[in-house]
Amino acid sequence: MTAILSNLQAVKKALAGAAAEAGRGVETLQLLAVSKTFGAQAVREAYHAGQRAFGENYLQEALGKIEALRDLPLEWHFIGPVQSNKTRPIAENFAWVHSVDRLKVAQRLAAQRPAQLPPLNLCLQVNVSGEASKSGVAPAELLPLARAVAALPRIRLRGLMAIPAPADDKAAQRGPYARMRGLLQDLQRQGLPLDTLSMGMSHDFPAAIMEGATLVRIGTAIFGSRNQGEAK
Ligand SMILES: *Cc1c(COP(=O)(O)O)cnc(C)c1O
């Protein structure tokens, strides 16, 4: 059994356990395999282990992998910072973008989404920990941004995404995720038909699932550590 296959099986088992602990069915959870810094071969291996949805942070690296893997029916998610002059290849090659925090970027993605493709699924990234250096819209500015993005053509606003400041214990990890759940509920009460909370990574997904994550983004626990100079 390859490492990726056994890692994926272990992650799925852990997801099922966390879902059960949260009193939820595992079918309410989507697993996004974050393949950044790993090559097309690693993605292919994960595909053969049953994984379909992959997350990428760096556009040039992602485009190379997407091209190399055109023979597989994969679903690509862009989860890295979006530069407004790089929106076209994102609009043309991805099914989802999780990391939109400005109207200008959403407008460009909407204008550049090819007509023959389904609408681009989009999440708004929220700066839930209030870190000055972090990307993400401030919670206080979320509602007007969500309303404006939801009104764009060729875009389907699905929900919210967050990367909270790292915390060690589960109780501390749950705080920002609970806040995210509240923010999503606020938008739903305002009539926005949102169904996605993209939150939780290798080190904290159980906390995110306890607070209602519907999509967890997991890299290290599937592909291994990235800091060993992995092939791009
Ligand atoms: C790298 C990354 C992940 C995956 O992180 P791991 O700790 O490797 O699971 C998830 N989300 C985003 C936005 C990332 O950049």
Side-chain angles (χ1 to χ4, degrees):
M1 192 156 68
T2 69
I4 288 174
L5 175 58
S6 62
N7 288 349
L8 254 177
Q9 286 176 347
V11 165
K12 283 185 189 162
K13 205 170 156 199
L15 291 185
E21 196 185 329
R24 303 170 46 185
V26 76
E27 74 287 346
T28 63
L29 259 183
Q30 206 195 329
L31 171 60
L32 184 67
V34 177
S35 44
K36 66 178 177 213
T37 79
F38 292 91
Q41 189 51 37
V43 174
R44 198 173 281 281
E45 230 178 271
Y47 168 82
H48 288 298
Q51 182 63 27
R52 294 291 177 272
F54 293 88
E56 290 283 338
N57 288 55
Y58 311 109
L59 184 59
Q60 286 314 314
E61 181 199 334
L63 293 176
K65 269 179 256 186
I66 291 171
E67 193 51 44
L69 295 163
R70 288 250 182 242
D71 57 314
L72 303 181
L74 304 180
E75 181 180 278
W76 291 101
H77 294 227
F78 194 77
I79 62 174
V82 184
Q83 290 170 259
S84 62
N85 61 343
K86 301 265 174 67
T87 48
R88 185 177 296 279
I90 295 177
E92 290 176 349
N93 288 281
F94 288 82
W96 285 69
V97 184
H98 292 234
S99 40
V100 170
D101 61 3
R102 287 176 292 155
L103 182 57
K104 183 183 171 197
V105 162
Q107 286 169 330
R108 292 179 62 93
L109 290 169
Q112 294 166 343
R113 180 66 167 174
Q116 73 276 14
L117 293 182
L120 183 61
N121 295 292
L122 208 140
C123 291
L124 297 177
Q125 183 173 351
V126 180
N127 185 354
V128 70
S129 304
E131 293 166 278
S133 60
K134 272 278 173 73
S135 28
V137 59
E141 286 151 28
L142 180 58
L143 177 60
L145 177 62
R147 283 216 171 101
V149 171
L152 292 171
R154 313 292 312 131
I155 293 282
R156 187 168 164 215
L157 181 61
R158 297 295 296 267
L160 304 178
M161 181 272 230
I163 313 170
D168 288 335
D169 68 287
K170 196 170 171 189
Q173 289 168 354
R174 282 179 68 167
Y177 289 138
R179 186 142 187 242
M180 289 294 292
R181 180 213 288 266
L183 290 171
L184 185 80
Q185 286 168 344
D186 289 346
L187 296 180
Q188 289 168 331
R189 263 185 242 113
Q190 296 292 327
L192 292 168
L194 307 183
D195 62 7
T196 301
L197 271 179
S198 166
M199 57 191 202
M201 316 194 345
S202 293
H203 67 285
D204 67 357
F205 66 84
I209 290 169
M210 288 305 289
E211 297 301 342
T214 64
L215 187 156
V216 292
R217 308 178 309 268
I218 299 193
T220 308
I222 296 172
F223 294 105
S225 166
R226 285 184 294 272
N227 54 22
Q228 308 296 326
E230 294 288 347
K232 284 230 168 177

